[in-house]
Amino acid sequence: MATVSFCSQKGGVSKSSLARALAVEAARGGLTVKIGDLDVGQGTTVDWHRDRLAAGIEPAVSVQLHKTAKEALRASDGVDLLVLDGPARADKETVEIAKVSDLVALPTGASLDDLRPAVRTANSLTKAGIPAARLLFVLSRIGTDAEADAARAYIKEAGYRVAPGYVPERPAFRAIQNEGRAITEVRYPQLKSAAESVVEALVDAAVGGEESEEGTS
Ligand SMILES: Nc1ncnc2c1ncn2[C@@H]1O[C@H](COP(=O)(O)OP(=O)(O)OP(=O)(O)O)[C@@H](O)[C@H]1O
Ligand SMILES: [Mg+2]
């Protein structure tokens, strides 16, 4: 089983949106997928899953609320891909989530208000012994190509990997999730392909994610 987690210090950076999209696309590709919603305070992905089931949208993915990453792992027998949708704020449990993950995705927007806490989270994970090679920044809620380029440069300068592409900031991504669908299921072709290429990069990183412990930390 591969485990991919989505973590951030800041709330609202697209952890849940990307976690759902990764799970849906991996399920579409034939994997048995489960999302562990670790945001016990909000459980937004549990609610989204209920909407998806009620609307009968395929492929179905299973979602379960768990207090800890370890608990999610214990309840995931027979699963090919476990996607952990992290809580709104990074805390001590974030290191525990990262420890059980083959890939830790760190979604961020382009402002310094988003980038600084994201890099701080990455720094605290590497300090706790998580190899930097296991971390992957993901750009989401981005306005322009120039904004994406500047954010990418900032993250690389800090010594971390960034997934290619970005998810633009668009109301359509909210609307589609209101229907119980994932951001890769949006109806506008350009937005769909932008979301799909980011999710593909996550799948690639996750499947090739059995890297050695020789991080750059
Ligand atoms: N690319 C986007 N464009 C526009 N809105 C977006 C985009 N991505 C996510 N959103 C919206 O932003 C809000 C926050 O996204 P999401 O819930 O995925 O973030 P999160 O990091 O999981 O938040 P939390 O920290 O509260 O768990 C949601 O209303 C979501 O629909
Ligand atoms: Mg969330």
Side-chain angles (χ1 to χ4, degrees):
M1 181 179 73
T3 302
V4 179
S5 56
F6 290 82
C7 297
S8 73
Q9 176 58 44
K10 277 196 70 174
V13 293
S14 304
K15 294 179 297 294
S16 299
S17 301
L18 290 163
R20 296 164 189 176
L22 172 60
V24 164
E25 296 313 320
R28 204 187 304 285
L31 298 183
T32 304
V33 184
K34 176 180 158 173
I35 304 177
D37 186 346
L38 300 178
D39 195 352
V40 283
Q42 298 190 98
T44 56
T45 293
V46 170
D47 289 339
W48 168 85
H49 180 238
R50 197 174 298 122
D51 296 339
R52 187 173 180 88
L53 279 180
I57 299 164
E58 296 286 340
V61 290
S62 67
V63 179
Q64 214 180 345
L65 201 64
H66 291 291
K67 279 206 195 81
T68 65
K70 277 202 180 119
E71 187 188 300
L73 236 69
R74 276 199 297 271
S76 300
D77 271 357
V79 168
D80 300 319
L81 176 67
L82 174 64
V83 178
L84 296 174
D85 181 4
R89 284 177 186 284
D91 57 15
K92 271 183 251 153
E93 174 63 12
T94 307
V95 176
E96 301 305 314
I97 296 171
K99 277 184 190 163
V100 304
S101 301
D102 300 293
L103 178 72
V104 182
L106 301 165
T108 180
S111 68
L112 285 177
D113 286 340
D114 288 346
L115 288 164
R116 284 185 182 131
V119 166
R120 256 182 242 128
T121 299
N123 290 345
S124 65
L125 289 175
T126 54
K127 207 170 159 195
I130 307 297
R134 205 183 292 173
L135 310 180
L136 184 66
F137 280 75
V138 184
L139 300 176
S140 186
R141 313 198 64 171
I142 302 293
T144 62
D145 286 351
E147 208 179 35
D149 291 346
R152 198 177 294 286
Y154 182 92
I155 295 161
K156 286 193 174 157
E157 179 67 28
Y160 297 108
R161 297 190 297 154
V162 193
Y166 65 84
V167 183
E169 167 78 30
R170 292 287 192 285
F173 288 126
R174 289 190 282 276
I176 200 70
Q177 294 192 94
N178 288 344
E179 295 177 25
R181 295 179 197 272
I183 56 170
T184 46
E185 295 172 322
V186 71
R187 291 181 188 88
Y188 301 95
Q190 269 190 324
L191 296 186
K192 183 176 168 63
S193 82
E196 277 174 348
S197 57
V198 168
V199 168
E200 253 168 51
L202 284 168
V203 172
D204 288 351
V207 173
E210 308 280 85
E211 86 283 335
S212 70
E213 297 289 304
E214 306 164 47
T216 50
S217 60

